[in-house]
Amino acid sequence: MNIILLGPPGAGKGTQAAKIVEKFHVVHISTGDIFRKNISENTPLGQKVKQYTEKGLLVPDEITVAMVKDRLSQPDCKAGYMLDGFPRTIPQAESLEVMGEKVDCALNIDCDYALLIDRISGRRMCKECGASYHIKNSPSKEEGKCDKCGGELYQRDDDNEQTVKARLAEYDEKTLPLTEFYKAKGLLLQVDGNGSIEQTTENVYKALTSFI
């Protein structure tokens, strides 16, 4: 099964992606993970990507499409995959069709924007080990320090409230139309993501199981 995972920033796509991989045995392809890896390694691609992500803007299609096309050509994708972070625009979705890739369903995790802003702006990451925390939902035992390694916690540049609002506005303009794009093809699965992680996972499992 080839799945496209949709939803606004902070909807919990990364968390639910791991659950989907475990249950449905598909390869998880996250453009965000690939982007961050290149940024941390300061590659030429990472330098280009950083110029956009720091401002809360989408990475240009030509960069993203080339990267995804290369990834989908690898053997492990033949038995099924889940795209997380791609497509993010109608042209990207159309480029996927041009590649000849068959999409079985587009799963959209829907969330209230006020909740999303609180979720994202409260996130903190450890500079040393990468552990993730939230100042309200899952705070560290000692403020500003990682429970696992004692490293300093920080807020990513693209997680501050102003940037989050810019990301949501960008999502509304360029990515939200994908729900109508896939709905018209009879491939859209809508899932409520306003509840707990466990509730959202249950909703995701029900939606995908009913679709198979």
Side-chain angles (χ1 to χ4, degrees):
M1 181 164 60
N2 296 338
I3 306 167
I4 290 176
L5 188 59
L6 299 173
K13 295 190 295 296
T15 299
Q16 297 307 322
K19 304 287 187 181
I20 293 170
V21 168
E22 181 180 356
K23 186 171 180 65
F24 296 96
H25 308 293
V26 293
V27 175
H28 180 203
I29 302 173
S30 168
T31 52
D33 287 347
I34 299 173
F35 286 158
R36 282 188 286 273
K37 183 175 185 294
N38 279 272
I39 290 174
S40 67
E41 295 176 356
N42 200 33
T43 66
L45 173 62
Q47 293 172 12
K48 290 181 180 179
V49 169
K50 189 175 182 180
Q51 295 174 8
Y52 295 92
T53 58
E54 284 186 338
K55 299 175 183 177
L57 302 176
L58 294 176
V59 178
D61 285 355
E62 59 269 21
I63 297 175
T64 309
V65 170
M67 180 184 66
V68 171
K69 184 176 182 179
D70 176 70
R71 181 65 184 88
L72 291 178
S73 69
Q74 297 178 24
D76 62 342
C77 293
K78 302 302 179 186
Y81 57 78
M82 175 178 53
L83 283 169
D84 175 7
F86 184 94
R88 283 189 172 176
T89 64
I90 297 295
Q92 286 184 3
E94 292 171 342
S95 73
L96 196 60
E97 294 182 337
V98 171
M99 292 178 206
E101 295 294 330
K102 179 181 180 295
V103 173
D104 293 301
C105 66
L107 180 74
N108 183 54
I109 302 175
D110 193 28
C111 283
D112 178 77
Y113 280 14
L115 175 63
L116 295 178
I117 292 172
D118 182 69
R119 279 184 184 175
I120 300 174
S121 62
R123 290 194 301 211
R124 298 293 184 270
M125 303 285 290
C126 175
K127 287 185 176 180
E128 300 299 325
C129 71
S132 180
Y133 298 88
H134 191 281
I135 57 175
K136 293 181 181 178
N137 303 331
S138 56
S140 57
K141 294 177 182 177
E142 184 177 350
E143 185 177 351
K145 285 192 176 183
C146 177
D147 293 344
K148 296 180 179 180
C149 71
E152 180 186 351
L153 301 184
Y154 74 103
Q155 182 184 54
R156 290 187 338 193
D157 291 339
D158 57 348
D159 281 351
N160 69 71
E161 185 171 339
Q162 184 176 356
T163 304
V164 172
K165 289 180 178 179
R167 290 167 66 191
L168 289 172
E170 188 87 351
Y171 172 83
D172 278 346
E173 179 186 353
K174 297 183 177 180
T175 305
L176 189 59
L178 283 172
T179 57
E180 290 301 320
F181 179 86
Y182 286 111
K183 183 178 180 180
K185 297 177 181 293
L187 301 176
L188 183 68
L189 297 177
Q190 288 276 29
V191 169
D192 181 3
N194 288 305
S196 67
I197 291 175
E198 292 75 19
Q199 289 171 331
T200 302
T201 299
E202 184 178 350
N203 295 338
V204 166
Y205 283 176
K206 284 183 179 178
L208 288 175
T209 302
S210 67
F211 194 81
I212 295 175

